Amino acid sequence: MLTPESGRSATAAVELTIEPRVRSLGDFDVRRVLPAAKRRMVGPFVFLDHMGPAELAPGRGIAVRPHPHIGLATITYLFEGEIMHRDSLGYRQLIEPGAVNLMTAGRGIVHSERAPDSSVAARLHGIQSWVALPLELEETEPTFVHYPASSLPEQSIDGSTVRVIMGGAYGLQSPVLTHSPTLYFAATLPAGATLAVLDEAPERGVYVVSGRVTIDGRTYGEGTLAVLRAGTTVPLRAETETRAIVVGGASIGPRHIWWNFVSSSEARIERAKRDWLEMRFGTVPGDDEFIPLPTS
């Protein structure tokens, strides 16, 4: 659901708010924030899923079978739990809290995301996002890079803790590869703290992972994305202990999205559909299942 900030001044800090739609991943649900009907992207971010927090029974967990992507890069970032990534390039990588898995699909890749081989009960909580690739990189060779948690810069700012996941913020620079100007950081705010979201990107959105924040006199709770007006520094005041992420960057222009495919060309998406139907994308070593092409 999308809520325009109607009746507010043209100088209001929040341009609009987006409430997520719930989607099932089998043993737990995710909250899908982007794309939304009236706001498809924030900067290059074309997709944003909030996974959990979920309590996973022994032997259960995330089980996303092999599926294809084109024209995008996926970013997986966890607060709690573990996910095993496997892909058609042969990579097998466990991601743990605070680390980043960056998979650039380019002309095409197949991957799966599953709970690690363990029967121990656990929690899973994290964010998976996609950034659309700029035109000149849509058909680039696929790649995968893992960045350990220790490689991401973190700093205390006005009593809050900021970790820069991609791009730069507050003078900190993440080592994670970006394909276009990108802003992505996580912040933990104690109750009563105020963190200024600087005017460091043309497009910015604040997503409340947990807790509540006040922006420009209005309170935004867990699961809300507040898209900020351009050209302003926006103070976030934590009403309770709060975890939030800020995403954004420069616009790269409109994109078509169908299932797991993102492209500037509808014809390219149609070709990707045929390629998956005819199994021309490749396979994931050690993971023989796959998700069939949707019928609609």
Side-chain angles (χ1 to χ4, degrees):
M1 178 185 299
L2 180 145
T3 306
E5 298 294 291
S6 57
R8 304 193 70 186
S9 149
T11 60
V14 176
E15 182 178 315
L16 58 88
T17 58
I18 299 171
E19 302 295 334
R21 297 154 290 148
V22 176
R23 294 289 184 268
S24 175
L25 284 185
D27 286 295
F28 66 97
D29 292 336
V30 300
R31 285 171 274 189
R32 181 150 300 162
V33 186
L34 290 175
K38 293 185 180 179
R39 185 74 188 223
R40 307 291 287 173
M41 303 171 69
V42 178
F45 286 84
V46 71
F47 178 95
L48 186 66
D49 261 7
H50 181 186
M51 304 180 289
E55 296 284 351
L56 306 176
R60 309 292 293 184
I62 188 169
V64 181
R65 293 168 290 162
H67 57 281
H69 289 287
I70 65 164
L72 57 86
T74 67
I75 305 108
T76 305
Y77 183 83
L78 298 181
F79 304 114
E80 297 177 87
E82 299 175 331
I83 296 175
M84 180 62 73
H85 163 97
R86 296 181 179 89
D87 63 42
S88 52
L89 299 177
Y91 286 99
R92 175 189 174 103
Q93 176 66 55
L94 181 70
I95 183 170
E96 298 173 306
V100 170
N101 274 0
L102 175 69
M103 184 185 75
T104 302
R107 62 176 177 79
I109 197 169
V110 181
H111 77 134
S112 65
E113 294 163 300
R114 296 186 182 270
D117 297 330
S118 170
S119 60
V120 178
R123 282 171 61 86
L124 183 65
H125 189 199
I127 303 289
Q128 183 158 82
S129 53
W130 301 351
V131 291
L133 298 177
L135 293 175
E136 66 274 14
L137 294 177
E138 284 191 308
E139 295 297 320
T140 193
E141 291 296 311
T143 61
F144 174 82
V145 186
H146 173 78
Y147 298 87
S150 60
S151 69
L152 268 60
E154 181 175 298
Q155 184 172 312
S156 177
I157 299 173
D158 296 331
S160 299
T161 300
V162 170
R163 297 192 83 228
V164 181
I165 299 169
M166 295 182 77
Y170 303 101
L172 305 175
Q173 186 67 41
S174 169
V176 177
L177 174 68
T178 57
H179 301 289
S180 65
T182 304
L183 174 69
Y184 187 6
F185 66 85
T188 303
L189 292 73
T194 298
L195 177 69
V197 179
L198 305 179
D199 179 23
E200 296 187 298
E203 298 185 6
R204 297 162 298 161
V206 177
Y207 178 74
V208 183
V209 176
S210 61
R212 297 192 308 276
V213 297
T214 297
I215 305 173
D216 201 16
R218 290 197 178 186
T219 299
Y220 301 88
E222 177 178 332
T224 299
L225 176 70
V227 179
L228 305 182
R229 197 169 298 281
T232 58
T233 290
V234 178
L236 309 181
R237 184 182 187 280
E239 297 296 310
T240 64
E241 183 177 353
T242 297
R243 173 178 277 159
I245 62 168
V246 174
V247 298
S251 171
I252 60 169
R255 290 293 186 272
H256 301 284
I257 307 170
W258 189 90
W259 192 37
N260 300 310
F261 305 140
V262 174
S263 180
S264 59
S265 164
E266 287 186 281
R268 180 65 180 91
I269 289 178
E270 291 301 314
R271 178 156 65 90
K273 293 180 187 180
R274 294 193 299 272
D275 287 345
W276 185 240
L277 275 172
E278 297 170 12
M279 303 306 290
R280 289 199 292 261
F281 266 90
T283 59
V284 176
D287 199 335
D288 297 330
E289 296 185 294
F290 66 94
I291 300 177
L293 188 77
T295 57
S296 61

